[in-house]
Amino acid sequence: MDFILTETEFNKDNIAWNGNRFLIGNGYFGIRGTLEEYTKKQMCAVNMAGIYDRVRDSWRESVNAPNPIYTYVKVNGQAYTLPDEKPKFHQQELDFRYGIHCRVTRWKTEHGDITVICERFASIARQHNIAMKYTFSADFDCEAEIITGIDGDVWDINGPHFVKMQMGSKDGIDYVTGITGEKNISVTAKECIRTDFQAEQTNQNTDKSIFRHIRFTAKANKEYAFEKIAEITTSVDDFGTNGRIDELSYRELKDEHKAEWDKIWDISHIHIDGDDEAEYALNYSIYHLNCIAPRNMKGKSIPARGLSGQVYKGAVFWDTEMFMIDYYIHTAPEVAKTLLQYRIDTLDGARTKAKGYGLDGAYYAWESQEGGYEGCSDYNVTDVFTNRPMRTHFRDKQYHVSAAIVYGLMKYINATGDYDILNEGAMEMVIECAKFYRSLLLKKADKPYYEIHDAVGPDEYHERVNNNAYTNRMAKFVFDTALELSDKCPIDSNLKEMLRDSSENILIKEPDTSGIIEQFDGYFKLEDASLNTVRSRVINPKEYWGGAYGVAADTQVIKQADVVAMLSMFKNDYTSDIMAKNLKYYEPRTEHGSSLSACMYSLLACYTDNPEIAYPMFMKSAKADLTKGGKEWAGSIYIGGTHPASAGGAWIAAVKGFAGVIEENGQLVCRPNLPEKWNGMSFKLMYKGRLYSVEIQNGNGTISTI
Ligand code: BGC
């Protein structure tokens, strides 16, 4: 099946969305799917992984590199650029089998038509490099000028991050270096070009950028092409460059790039027999996960919006360990280990955060940046009515983040058998997380159990709640994990006793008489308004539904999977009947206001033998970046971008849900539960160092080693 995403007309309202869905990347950086002539006005970005900067007291965020693909054309002195000049024909395309972006644009001029074709990719074989091929033609003789160079005037949300810019040219290679203000990190873009025609070339510098002006007389119907090879480096790179850019050719780079993608797809492709739309969307999700995987990198993780920009501060959330890591564990375990290494390396940051709140152990950052720095502020949403920052409790009360990391670690260990990681810092991390949850436990004078008060669960619309079922269960999971692992890495006997006491006595919410688990103390007493009623109370489409006065806060309407997430994670603790009842209760009360939500419902629906209920939720997750109109605002803050957690969640729903590949007694088993229109599925999977092939036909699944 073709892995091509195409847009065949130009619509300026799609610029931001296209920037996300046409993204290319290689884990080291992501290049938004913007056009070559775009600037910061159209949210152009070469977004760097793991590099952050803070300007004065605004939010710290990831840094965008100087943009080396900037290019446009002038004909007889007039510039032809989108979105300003309406095209006669326009097509934008992403070949997501190979991460190759291509645009073709034709403009009608007073003398005839001109056409620009540009193909580009972020090399996945040499992660410092970008390659681009730009072709110009006209159906009349004309004086043409191509302006191409490095645009250092980058798009920033809370910038400018480069306080110093340096630029120059040497031996045909142009460069622009930006130096960040906070940590003095340099980010350099270099480029060189190779034309296949005679032209006069001059250079022009501005205070941030460097451009080449290539002037030539173009003959009618002749193609004029140039290749550009670019390189991005920083002063804090984990790995070096590979080859001088003036010695690399577009063809060679493209061949090796495609060969590398072939290797990646060989293990990550999922075939769905009977449903092309689902197969397309799922593999498109997998493409995004592959574009942002930190390959060759040391202790790096993935931001919630991938490498699509500075939204959410380029920070790493629980999204990685809860939704994305499963895919890497089973297709590229070394990437999963890198993600966990990031958490091990940032343990000190988590300790500092815990201490700051008078707590013990490790409280991981809600929005984690380098070193575990907490990027989340106490005022993380702006009230659209007053334009004032709103006090939110994501930073101080979303205690469940540390447990998600331990959960991710255990998924990794169980599926790889890599217990060595425990001695490489992971055991210390688990113990510190366990101490953190222990320090949250409270006991009332007349109650025999421990409670956790004043928390925010996954459903962010209800803040400062007591005994969030999910948080308490996850805390127990962390205590149990530390105890279980103490067989491999012995721990102090007093601590062991403390953890046992915590695990045995923490309040775990049981289903009520109708089988429903209350999300937190008092949830059932909240107004049971329907989603539509709550929606009808919204005055401004951008207003925030949670917080102290949000429209959902005093109702049972929740933002995302909470109890449902817990049930799907601990499915062996509950009967199918309880799971199904809770799914039925919570689904109509869920806004799915987070892209992390639908996949959890899909998974639980599969676990309760309801693949038809699971299917639309799965599609919602798999198509999060293909569907226009996703949530782009939280208050007045732009939150658009790609949704890798949703992509990872779609993978989980497909593999663990529909295909029913789960681990039982240290082995993989396959108990498929496919939606009616799927005839079968086939894919590969890594498990404990071996590669398996999974084939599902006629309702039966087989797993065999390769
Ligand atoms: C969700 C969080 C999520 C974050 C980043 C928020 O809208 O509520 O659960 O971690 O987005 O994806």
Side-chain angles (χ1 to χ4, degrees):
M1 116 177 266
D2 277 351
F3 281 8
I4 306 283
L5 173 69
T6 311
E7 174 152 285
T8 48
E9 57 172 6
F10 180 73
N11 178 354
K12 69 175 171 23
D13 296 337
N14 289 354
I15 290 176
W17 179 43
N18 286 349
N20 301 319
R21 67 186 177 129
F22 287 98
L23 181 114
I24 53 176
N26 57 19
Y28 176 64
F29 51 73
I31 305 180
R32 286 178 60 79
T34 46
L35 303 176
E36 290 73 24
E37 62 268 42
Y38 285 180
T39 64
K40 62 182 182 184
K41 277 198 221 139
Q42 290 83 25
M43 299 155 96
C44 232
V46 179
N47 185 239
M48 301 303 296
I51 300 198
Y52 299 93
D53 181 66
R54 182 172 193 173
V55 176
R56 290 182 293 279
D57 57 357
S58 60
W59 286 352
R60 271 179 115 241
E61 63 189 11
S62 55
V63 167
N64 291 329
N67 169 20
I69 57 178
Y70 179 72
T71 306
Y72 71 97
V73 67
K74 280 184 175 175
V75 172
N76 296 336
Q78 190 193 327
Y80 288 89
T81 56
L82 290 172
D84 309 319
E85 279 302 310
K86 198 170 173 282
K88 180 175 174 185
F89 169 84
H90 176 72
Q91 179 167 308
Q92 185 170 4
E93 193 175 276
L94 172 70
D95 172 352
F96 60 88
R97 182 174 295 280
Y98 294 116
I100 296 177
H101 179 277
C102 186
R103 64 84 67 92
V104 180
T105 310
R106 183 164 304 129
W107 286 275
K108 189 173 160 48
T109 77
E110 60 178 301
H111 303 290
D113 289 353
I114 63 162
T115 305
V116 160
I117 303 174
C118 185
E119 186 182 272
R120 66 181 197 231
F121 58 90
S123 174
I124 204 143
R126 297 178 202 237
Q127 290 159 283
H128 287 286
N129 294 118
I130 303 166
M132 159 171 150
K133 187 167 181 185
Y134 190 92
T135 308
F136 167 81
S137 62
D139 62 6
F140 59 100
D141 290 354
C142 60
E143 289 306 315
E145 178 178 354
I146 293 173
I147 295 92
T148 187
I150 306 171
D151 181 7
D153 193 10
V154 300
W155 172 47
D156 281 321
I157 296 181
N158 291 295
H161 295 294
F162 296 138
V163 292
K164 257 189 270 160
M165 304 289 294
Q166 293 160 354
M167 67 212 62
S169 301
K170 198 164 176 251
D171 302 330
I173 296 179
D174 286 357
Y175 71 90
V176 173
T177 297
I179 297 166
T180 61
E182 190 189 9
K183 294 195 168 172
N184 228 12
I185 296 172
S186 67
V187 182
T188 300
K190 288 185 184 170
E191 57 102 294
C192 67
I193 65 164
R194 201 174 287 141
T195 55
D196 70 353
F197 55 93
Q198 291 297 318
E200 174 206 319
Q201 199 181 306
T202 53
N203 267 30
Q204 182 215 344
N205 293 3
T206 68
D207 57 341
K208 292 185 175 164
S209 308
I210 183 162
F211 305 117
R212 302 165 194 267
H213 291 248
I214 306 166
R215 295 185 187 86
F216 54 100
T217 303
K219 292 272 162 239
N221 301 318
K222 185 170 164 2
E223 289 193 336
Y224 296 85
F226 74 87
E227 297 178 6
K228 175 181 287 204
I229 311 298
E231 177 189 280
I232 309 282
T233 51
T234 74
S235 52
V236 290
D237 283 340
D238 289 339
F239 58 98
T241 55
N242 189 355
R244 283 178 56 101
I245 54 173
D246 52 354
E247 289 168 1
L248 299 172
S249 79
Y250 186 82
R251 187 74 261 160
E252 271 167 5
L253 283 171
K254 188 170 168 180
D255 287 348
E256 68 178 22
H257 168 77
K258 288 179 77 173
E260 203 54 38
W261 270 107
D262 279 334
K263 278 194 231 154
I264 292 173
W265 279 117
D266 182 51
I267 167 156
S268 48
H269 175 240
I270 297 187
H271 172 59
I272 298 173
D273 184 7
D275 190 348
D276 287 355
E277 191 194 355
E279 178 171 343
Y280 179 90
L282 179 58
N283 285 288
Y284 176 76
S285 299
I286 292 172
Y287 161 74
H288 276 282
L289 292 168
N290 285 326
C291 271
I292 53 176
R295 294 188 167 83
N296 294 326
M297 295 165 77
K298 295 195 188 102
K300 291 273 167 20
S301 192
I302 304 176
R305 289 289 180 262
L307 298 176
S308 65
Q310 294 158 321
V311 163
Y312 280 149
K313 306 162 191 135
V316 178
F317 288 63
W318 71 314
D319 302 32
T320 312
E321 287 79 9
M322 289 298 294
F323 300 87
M324 300 180 216
I325 203 170
D326 304 64
Y327 168 73
Y328 301 114
I329 288 171
H330 291 289
T331 58
E334 68 291 350
V335 170
K337 193 163 187 175
T338 300
L339 301 175
L340 291 166
Q341 190 64 46
Y342 168 76
R343 297 301 194 173
I344 294 171
D345 292 350
T346 55
L347 183 57
D348 275 345
R351 283 190 179 112
T352 308
K353 177 170 168 182
K355 216 170 177 183
Y357 288 112
L359 296 163
D360 295 339
Y363 183 8
Y364 275 91
W366 181 242
E367 299 186 11
S368 182
Q369 300 181 338
E370 85 282 43
Y373 176 89
E374 173 63 272
C376 188
S377 77
D378 284 338
Y379 296 83
N380 223 38
V381 171
T382 302
D383 179 17
V384 290
F385 301 109
T386 60
N387 220 18
R388 287 192 181 132
M390 254 167 110
R391 180 66 165 102
T392 49
H393 292 278
F394 312 140
R395 174 194 167 110
D396 46 340
K397 308 287 179 192
Q398 266 192 88
Y399 301 134
H400 64 92
V401 58
S402 292
I405 294 161
V406 176
Y407 192 77
L409 171 73
M410 290 319 289
K411 287 189 285 192
Y412 170 79
I413 291 182
N414 291 335
T416 58
D418 176 12
Y419 281 94
D420 291 348
I421 194 171
L422 293 176
N423 295 320
E424 294 161 11
M427 187 65 192
E428 192 183 347
M429 179 173 89
V430 173
I431 295 297
E432 291 298 290
C433 290
K435 286 184 183 162
F436 165 65
Y437 286 105
R438 168 83 186 175
S439 72
L440 283 173
L441 301 185
L442 307 168
K443 207 172 210 173
K444 287 186 184 153
D446 56 351
K447 292 279 187 309
Y449 46 73
Y450 294 123
E451 308 185 28
I452 296 181
H453 284 194
D454 205 8
V456 179
D459 159 33
E460 291 177 339
Y461 287 167
H462 296 91
E463 298 194 335
R464 313 198 68 168
V465 302
N466 294 345
N467 296 314
N468 168 246
Y470 174 94
T471 306
N472 287 23
R473 182 64 188 87
M474 286 302 271
K476 180 175 167 58
F477 169 78
V478 176
F479 300 137
D480 291 344
T481 302
L483 288 167
E484 186 191 318
L485 294 177
S486 69
D487 285 351
K488 305 241 183 260
C489 296
I491 57 175
D492 173 82
S493 58
N494 285 339
L495 175 64
K496 215 167 161 173
E497 199 29 57
M498 232 154 68
L499 297 178
R500 194 166 294 129
D501 167 60
S502 309
S503 165
E504 282 167 9
N505 295 310
I506 185 168
L507 173 72
I508 298 299
K509 284 193 174 279
E510 295 296 330
D512 69 0
T513 46
S514 35
I516 311 302
I517 297 170
E518 190 177 37
Q519 188 174 293
F520 50 81
D521 292 355
Y523 171 82
F524 287 148
K525 294 200 195 96
L526 296 176
E527 185 195 0
D528 195 8
S530 75
L531 200 49
N532 279 341
T533 304
V534 169
R535 197 170 273 129
S536 72
R537 294 174 184 164
V538 167
I539 299 169
N540 181 321
K542 290 183 187 169
E543 77 184 66
Y544 182 58
W545 287 30
Y549 311 111
V551 285
D554 292 327
T555 75
Q556 290 191 27
V557 165
I558 61 173
K559 180 177 181 188
Q560 65 201 89
D562 197 303
V563 169
V564 164
M566 177 186 82
L567 293 170
S568 67
M569 291 159 67
F570 299 102
K571 66 178 188 341
N572 296 336
D573 296 1
Y574 302 94
T575 62
S576 184
D577 177 54
I578 292 293
M579 294 197 277
K581 281 184 171 145
N582 281 276
L583 184 69
K584 200 164 163 206
Y585 185 85
Y586 282 105
E587 208 292 315
R589 292 169 175 80
T590 308
E591 186 218 357
H592 296 297
S594 160
S595 65
L596 279 51
S597 189
C599 56
M600 287 284 181
Y601 283 82
S602 178
L603 191 60
L604 196 64
C606 287
Y607 289 161
T608 53
D609 293 333
N610 271 313
E612 302 313 320
I613 293 180
Y615 183 76
M617 308 274 183
F618 158 77
M619 287 302 273
K620 192 176 159 90
S621 292
K623 291 173 81 173
D625 291 324
L626 289 169
T627 312
K628 199 175 173 184
K631 242 192 183 179
E632 298 209 303
W633 300 94
S636 57
I637 290 163
Y638 179 69
I639 55 167
T642 55
H643 299 84
S646 189
W651 186 91
I652 295 174
V655 171
K656 302 193 176 181
F658 295 127
V661 177
I662 48 165
E663 193 182 33
E664 259 178 26
N665 307 321
Q667 277 196 340
L668 280 188
V669 295
C670 176
R671 296 216 186 81
N673 211 336
L674 303 190
E676 200 144 318
K677 66 173 166 181
W678 294 14
N679 303 324
M681 285 177 84
S682 56
F683 54 91
K684 290 179 185 162
L685 211 64
M686 292 281 290
Y687 181 69
K688 297 199 173 152
R690 301 190 75 159
L691 190 58
Y692 291 84
S693 129
V694 179
E695 290 289 337
I696 301 170
Q697 281 303 331
N698 305 321
N700 297 316
T702 48
I703 302 186
S704 37
T705 45
I706 296 180

